[in-house]
Amino acid sequence: MCNAIVIGGGQSGLAAAHALRTQGLRPVVLEAGAEPVGSWPHYYDSLTLFSPARFSAFPDVPFPGDPDHYPHRDEVVDYLRRYARTLDADIRTHHRVSTVTADNGAYTVHTEHGEALQTNILIAATGGFSQPHWPELPGLNKFAGTILHASDYRNPEPFAGQRVLVVGAGNSAVQIAVELAEHAHTTITSRTPLRYASPTLLGRDLHWWTATTRLDVLPLGPWLRTVPTTPVSDKGAYKAAIEAGNPDHRPLFEHLNTTEVTWSDGTREHIDAVILATGYRPDLTYLQPLGALDSTGSPRHRRGLSRTCPGLGYVGLEWQTSFSSATLRGVHRDAHYVVKQLVKAVRTHKHCCIPTPV
Ligand code: FAD
């Protein structure tokens, strides 16, 4: 019987492992990939954080370099790699969890390789962004050119000289479209208008304001998730490029056919590629046998604690508690809350099999 099992070894899994260590437990972290660095190596090449280093670090482990710089994707990978080494946790890479069952008051976690591990405390930390969202768009299934989700976009090179549509209105859509526009004839197209927000206010980064006003810690998740789109974080360059038409922005097209797009004014033109920057959903299908998910596959939870399965918690869900829940700066706070509640509940009830702290 394991002390605790964490599924997923990205920032959420590492934060959960850290919180479990502070409760005296030594968790097993099961990570599908080769390293405990989450999805960061798979994000596009030019990605830099929207939060400065000082607001992107985990407690007690500062981010290297100027605290006010916006770290590149690869710096985050290095940071998480180093952070994982500081944890005295049993991190097992190349361990993909296929399913979880409940037997005699404990959970059995089954891996793809046929291992079965038991625990009373289980944390699902496989991220809120593990499943690229492919929306239904008119004619998309007929389009014969290149279609890819932003999760598979790396850099503009393969699109040089092409006619490209980027679908979406969020940070990824705008960042990808603006960098593509230097190499390809690019249009960003979306159902909703583009909205921008400066990353600074009165000379201070917005993260400073949210931390100082404690807006960051308010449990506004359920309310905020009704806000239609998060504005694009922009120092002015993205808005200026789009207003200059490079890329241009157009309301969502009427439909696609094999090679062409038809716009709302009836005009048609040839298109080579469509990039869907249309967001992500969590993929928690391994919890299906527990009855932990609703009919849409979303977890039934309150602030990261399963409503249906005692001893099961989540870390890293979007809007789990606050708008920073699924970010580097917010995930530790949620992890500590979830772990504290789970450990308390399991120790209070007699189905507890947690050994004394190690
Ligand atoms: P992930 O990084 O996705 O890690 C989940 C881990 O679980 C992976 O390593 C995966 O291999 C593993 N896993 C999945 N399924 C299984 C399984 N069945 N068994 C075992 N292991 C499994 N946040 C910020 O703070 N700042 C930013 O600037 C920022 N930019 C972002 C840009 C993009 C394009 C995206 C998509 C997100 C961004 N985020 C940002 C949000 C968030 O911080 C990242 O998505 C981050 O990677 C989430 O970490 P995570 O650990 O929750 O999930």
Side-chain angles (χ1 to χ4, degrees), residues 7-12 30-33 38-40 43 47 49-51 95-97 125-127 129 172 280 286 326-328:
I7 307 176
Q11 69 201 33
S12 301
L30 300 172
E31 163 55 43
S39 298
W40 287 100
Y43 297 150
L47 181 78
L49 293 185
F50 47 69
S51 46
H95 277 64
R96 178 175 288 280
V97 171
T126 46
F129 304 95
S172 295
Y280 299 79
Y286 54 85
T327 68
L328 285 158

Side-chain angles (χ1 to χ4, degrees), residues 311-334:
L312 170 65
Y314 302 90
V315 175
L317 296 175
E318 223 181 350
W319 310 117
Q320 179 163 319
T321 306
S322 73
F323 66 86
S324 63
S325 282
T327 68
L328 285 158
R329 71 182 194 283
V331 74
H332 257 267
R333 191 186 51 241
D334 284 5

Side-chain angles (χ1 to χ4, degrees), residues 31-84:
E31 163 55 43
E35 279 195 285
V37 293
S39 298
W40 287 100
H42 308 296
Y43 297 150
Y44 49 91
D45 294 351
S46 61
L47 181 78
T48 51
L49 293 185
F50 47 69
S51 46
R54 73 166 79 239
F55 295 110
S56 305
F58 287 169
D60 306 326
V61 185
F63 219 104
D66 178 356
D68 291 318
H69 87 293
Y70 291 81
H72 179 257
R73 174 199 71 181
D74 294 346
E75 292 177 74
V76 182
V77 173
D78 284 344
Y79 178 81
L80 292 178
R81 199 178 276 140
R82 279 194 302 111
Y83 185 77

